mmCIF file of all heavy atoms in Angstrom:
data_model
loop_
_atom_site.group_PDB
_atom_site.id
_atom_site.type_symbol
_atom_site.label_atom_id
_atom_site.label_comp_id
_atom_site.label_asym_id
_atom_site.label_seq_id
_atom_site.Cartn_x
_atom_site.Cartn_y
_atom_site.Cartn_z
ATOM 1 N N LYS A 194 12.756 0.825 -1.388
ATOM 2 C CA LYS A 194 13.749 0.387 -2.523
ATOM 3 C C LYS A 194 13.332 1.170 -3.858
ATOM 4 O O LYS A 194 14.155 1.072 -4.789
ATOM 5 C CB LYS A 194 13.514 -1.067 -2.776
ATOM 6 C CG LYS A 194 14.207 -1.828 -1.602
ATOM 7 C CD LYS A 194 13.979 -3.371 -1.868
ATOM 8 C CE LYS A 194 14.608 -4.203 -0.802
ATOM 9 N NZ LYS A 194 14.352 -5.552 -0.911
ATOM 10 N N LEU A 195 12.218 1.905 -3.823
ATOM 11 C CA LEU A 195 12.016 2.722 -5.111
ATOM 12 C C LEU A 195 13.030 3.759 -5.248
ATOM 13 O O LEU A 195 13.660 4.282 -4.268
ATOM 14 C CB LEU A 195 10.582 3.299 -5.000
ATOM 15 C CG LEU A 195 9.395 2.431 -4.982
ATOM 16 C CD1 LEU A 195 8.103 3.155 -4.694
ATOM 17 C CD2 LEU A 195 9.465 1.699 -6.408
ATOM 18 N N PRO A 196 13.339 4.121 -6.510
ATOM 19 C CA PRO A 196 14.475 5.138 -6.702
ATOM 20 C C PRO A 196 14.159 6.522 -6.009
ATOM 21 O O PRO A 196 13.025 6.869 -5.856
ATOM 22 C CB PRO A 196 14.325 5.246 -8.213
ATOM 23 C CG PRO A 196 13.767 4.084 -8.757
ATOM 24 C CD PRO A 196 12.767 3.486 -7.717
ATOM 25 N N LYS A 197 15.166 7.051 -5.610
ATOM 26 C CA LYS A 197 15.229 8.359 -4.868
ATOM 27 C C LYS A 197 14.499 9.433 -5.650
ATOM 28 O O LYS A 197 13.851 10.305 -5.169
ATOM 29 C CB LYS A 197 16.543 8.745 -4.408
ATOM 30 C CG LYS A 197 17.065 7.845 -3.267
ATOM 31 C CD LYS A 197 18.297 8.290 -2.750
ATOM 32 C CE LYS A 197 18.718 7.190 -1.646
ATOM 33 N NZ LYS A 197 19.888 7.542 -0.991
ATOM 34 N N ALA A 198 14.638 9.320 -6.991
ATOM 35 C CA ALA A 198 13.975 10.437 -7.790
ATOM 36 C C ALA A 198 12.413 10.480 -7.591
ATOM 37 O O ALA A 198 11.896 11.640 -7.832
ATOM 38 C CB ALA A 198 14.210 10.024 -9.170
ATOM 39 N N MET A 199 11.771 9.423 -7.168
ATOM 40 C CA MET A 199 10.392 9.365 -7.002
ATOM 41 C C MET A 199 9.865 9.943 -5.602
ATOM 42 O O MET A 199 8.795 10.245 -5.521
ATOM 43 C CB MET A 199 9.938 7.999 -6.935
ATOM 44 C CG MET A 199 10.059 7.135 -8.129
ATOM 45 S SD MET A 199 9.510 5.521 -7.816
ATOM 46 C CE MET A 199 8.901 5.091 -9.399
ATOM 47 N N ARG A 200 10.782 10.214 -4.767
ATOM 48 C CA ARG A 200 10.354 10.411 -3.315
ATOM 49 C C ARG A 200 9.668 11.727 -3.123
ATOM 50 O O ARG A 200 9.136 12.059 -2.094
ATOM 51 C CB ARG A 200 11.606 10.230 -2.347
ATOM 52 C CG ARG A 200 11.887 8.786 -2.343
ATOM 53 C CD ARG A 200 12.784 8.412 -1.309
ATOM 54 N NE ARG A 200 13.118 6.963 -1.418
ATOM 55 C CZ ARG A 200 14.094 6.347 -0.754
ATOM 56 N NH1 ARG A 200 14.753 6.974 0.065
ATOM 57 N NH2 ARG A 200 14.274 5.066 -1.048
ATOM 58 N N GLU A 201 9.754 12.576 -4.221
ATOM 59 C CA GLU A 201 9.076 13.877 -4.080
ATOM 60 C C GLU A 201 7.723 13.868 -4.889
ATOM 61 O O GLU A 201 7.185 14.980 -4.910
ATOM 62 C CB GLU A 201 9.965 15.005 -4.435
ATOM 63 C CG GLU A 201 11.196 15.014 -3.473
ATOM 64 C CD GLU A 201 12.038 16.167 -3.723
ATOM 65 O OE1 GLU A 201 11.693 17.154 -4.256
ATOM 66 O OE2 GLU A 201 13.263 16.112 -3.131
ATOM 67 N N TRP A 202 7.407 12.824 -5.474
ATOM 68 C CA TRP A 202 6.302 12.827 -6.288
ATOM 69 C C TRP A 202 5.062 12.643 -5.499
ATOM 70 O O TRP A 202 5.093 11.976 -4.434
ATOM 71 C CB TRP A 202 6.279 11.634 -7.324
ATOM 72 C CG TRP A 202 7.312 11.714 -8.448
ATOM 73 C CD1 TRP A 202 8.218 12.765 -8.676
ATOM 74 C CD2 TRP A 202 7.604 10.820 -9.417
ATOM 75 N NE1 TRP A 202 8.992 12.603 -9.667
ATOM 76 C CE2 TRP A 202 8.652 11.299 -10.202
ATOM 77 C CE3 TRP A 202 6.998 9.559 -9.643
ATOM 78 C CZ2 TRP A 202 9.194 10.734 -11.308
ATOM 79 C CZ3 TRP A 202 7.593 8.807 -10.812
ATOM 80 C CH2 TRP A 202 8.681 9.323 -11.516
ATOM 81 N N ALA A 203 4.034 13.315 -5.698
ATOM 82 C CA ALA A 203 2.765 13.253 -4.991
ATOM 83 C C ALA A 203 2.238 11.848 -4.846
ATOM 84 O O ALA A 203 1.873 11.398 -3.730
ATOM 85 C CB ALA A 203 1.683 14.166 -5.602
ATOM 86 N N ALA A 204 2.360 10.999 -5.797
ATOM 87 C CA ALA A 204 1.802 9.579 -5.699
ATOM 88 C C ALA A 204 2.727 8.823 -4.717
ATOM 89 O O ALA A 204 2.185 7.953 -3.970
ATOM 90 C CB ALA A 204 1.817 8.922 -7.104
ATOM 91 N N PHE A 205 3.946 9.048 -4.688
ATOM 92 C CA PHE A 205 4.930 8.364 -3.758
ATOM 93 C C PHE A 205 4.500 8.777 -2.314
ATOM 94 O O PHE A 205 4.476 7.953 -1.438
ATOM 95 C CB PHE A 205 6.340 8.626 -4.005
ATOM 96 C CG PHE A 205 7.318 8.041 -2.981
ATOM 97 C CD1 PHE A 205 7.675 6.860 -3.166
ATOM 98 C CD2 PHE A 205 7.675 8.763 -1.875
ATOM 99 C CE1 PHE A 205 8.541 6.163 -2.217
ATOM 100 C CE2 PHE A 205 8.469 8.262 -0.905
ATOM 101 C CZ PHE A 205 8.997 6.892 -1.172
ATOM 102 N N LEU A 206 4.291 10.016 -2.170
ATOM 103 C CA LEU A 206 3.971 10.560 -0.749
ATOM 104 C C LEU A 206 2.645 9.992 -0.296
ATOM 105 O O LEU A 206 2.557 9.685 0.862
ATOM 106 C CB LEU A 206 4.029 12.042 -0.848
ATOM 107 C CG LEU A 206 5.346 12.782 -1.061
ATOM 108 C CD1 LEU A 206 5.187 14.256 -1.211
ATOM 109 C CD2 LEU A 206 6.356 12.414 -0.082
ATOM 110 N N GLU A 207 1.754 9.892 -1.220
ATOM 111 C CA GLU A 207 0.418 9.316 -0.855
ATOM 112 C C GLU A 207 0.441 7.912 -0.493
ATOM 113 O O GLU A 207 -0.137 7.495 0.424
ATOM 114 C CB GLU A 207 -0.586 9.554 -1.965
ATOM 115 C CG GLU A 207 -2.075 9.072 -1.654
ATOM 116 C CD GLU A 207 -2.674 9.796 -0.564
ATOM 117 O OE1 GLU A 207 -2.450 11.057 -0.413
ATOM 118 O OE2 GLU A 207 -3.613 9.270 -0.030
ATOM 119 N N LEU A 208 1.307 7.195 -1.263
ATOM 120 C CA LEU A 208 1.530 5.697 -1.018
ATOM 121 C C LEU A 208 2.233 5.460 0.424
ATOM 122 O O LEU A 208 1.754 4.772 1.252
ATOM 123 C CB LEU A 208 2.472 5.240 -2.035
ATOM 124 C CG LEU A 208 3.029 3.748 -1.752
ATOM 125 C CD1 LEU A 208 1.912 2.806 -1.811
ATOM 126 C CD2 LEU A 208 4.050 3.392 -2.923
ATOM 127 N N LYS A 209 3.260 6.354 0.620
ATOM 128 C CA LYS A 209 3.954 6.233 2.090
ATOM 129 C C LYS A 209 2.923 6.525 3.147
ATOM 130 O O LYS A 209 2.852 5.845 4.117
ATOM 131 C CB LYS A 209 5.135 7.131 1.917
ATOM 132 C CG LYS A 209 5.974 7.036 3.137
ATOM 133 C CD LYS A 209 7.338 7.711 2.837
ATOM 134 C CE LYS A 209 8.114 7.797 4.162
ATOM 135 N NZ LYS A 209 8.022 6.888 5.177
ATOM 136 N N LYS A 210 2.109 7.693 2.990
ATOM 137 C CA LYS A 210 1.106 8.034 4.013
ATOM 138 C C LYS A 210 0.077 6.831 4.216
ATOM 139 O O LYS A 210 -0.177 6.572 5.368
ATOM 140 C CB LYS A 210 0.478 9.265 3.500
ATOM 141 C CG LYS A 210 -0.475 9.864 4.492
ATOM 142 C CD LYS A 210 -1.311 11.076 4.088
ATOM 143 C CE LYS A 210 -2.276 11.622 5.014
ATOM 144 N NZ LYS A 210 -3.058 10.814 5.751
ATOM 145 N N THR A 211 -0.269 6.179 3.186
ATOM 146 C CA THR A 211 -1.266 5.174 3.287
ATOM 147 C C THR A 211 -0.740 3.887 4.176
ATOM 148 O O THR A 211 -1.250 3.454 5.101
ATOM 149 C CB THR A 211 -1.698 4.578 1.894
ATOM 150 O OG1 THR A 211 -2.264 5.690 1.174
ATOM 151 C CG2 THR A 211 -2.689 3.529 2.085
ATOM 152 N N ILE A 212 0.595 3.632 3.801
ATOM 153 C CA ILE A 212 1.302 2.577 4.501
ATOM 154 C C ILE A 212 1.574 3.010 5.908
ATOM 155 O O ILE A 212 1.281 2.244 6.937
ATOM 156 C CB ILE A 212 2.633 2.176 3.902
ATOM 157 C CG1 ILE A 212 2.438 1.681 2.396
ATOM 158 C CG2 ILE A 212 3.371 1.259 4.763
ATOM 159 C CD1 ILE A 212 3.676 1.476 1.660
ATOM 160 N N ASP A 213 2.017 4.110 6.244
ATOM 161 C CA ASP A 213 2.300 4.694 7.596
ATOM 162 C C ASP A 213 0.988 4.719 8.415
ATOM 163 O O ASP A 213 1.089 4.398 9.633
ATOM 164 C CB ASP A 213 3.104 5.987 7.415
ATOM 165 C CG ASP A 213 4.485 5.788 6.934
ATOM 166 O OD1 ASP A 213 4.914 4.588 6.881
ATOM 167 O OD2 ASP A 213 5.115 6.780 6.527
ATOM 168 N N ASP A 214 -0.038 5.228 7.781
ATOM 169 C CA ASP A 214 -1.326 5.449 8.613
ATOM 170 C C ASP A 214 -1.829 4.115 9.031
ATOM 171 O O ASP A 214 -2.283 3.961 10.228
ATOM 172 C CB ASP A 214 -2.340 6.132 7.688
ATOM 173 C CG ASP A 214 -2.045 7.553 7.521
ATOM 174 O OD1 ASP A 214 -1.265 8.232 8.196
ATOM 175 O OD2 ASP A 214 -2.818 8.340 6.677
ATOM 176 N N PHE A 215 -1.866 3.152 8.217
ATOM 177 C CA PHE A 215 -2.336 1.787 8.632
ATOM 178 C C PHE A 215 -1.446 1.121 9.654
ATOM 179 O O PHE A 215 -1.860 0.498 10.569
ATOM 180 C CB PHE A 215 -2.636 0.793 7.495
ATOM 181 C CG PHE A 215 -3.553 -0.263 7.855
ATOM 182 C CD1 PHE A 215 -4.944 0.009 7.763
ATOM 183 C CD2 PHE A 215 -3.065 -1.486 8.268
ATOM 184 C CE1 PHE A 215 -5.753 -1.118 8.048
ATOM 185 C CE2 PHE A 215 -3.880 -2.512 8.700
ATOM 186 C CZ PHE A 215 -5.240 -2.304 8.576
#
Side-chain angles (χ1 to χ4, degrees):
K194 289 179 184 176
L195 290 173
K197 291 184 181 187
M199 299 178 148
R200 297 202 177 160
E201 299 192 12
W202 292 359
F205 177 85
L206 296 173
E207 182 66 28
L208 170 66
K209 186 165 174 24
K210 182 181 181 317
T211 302
I212 295 170
D213 291 343
D214 286 350
F215 199 86

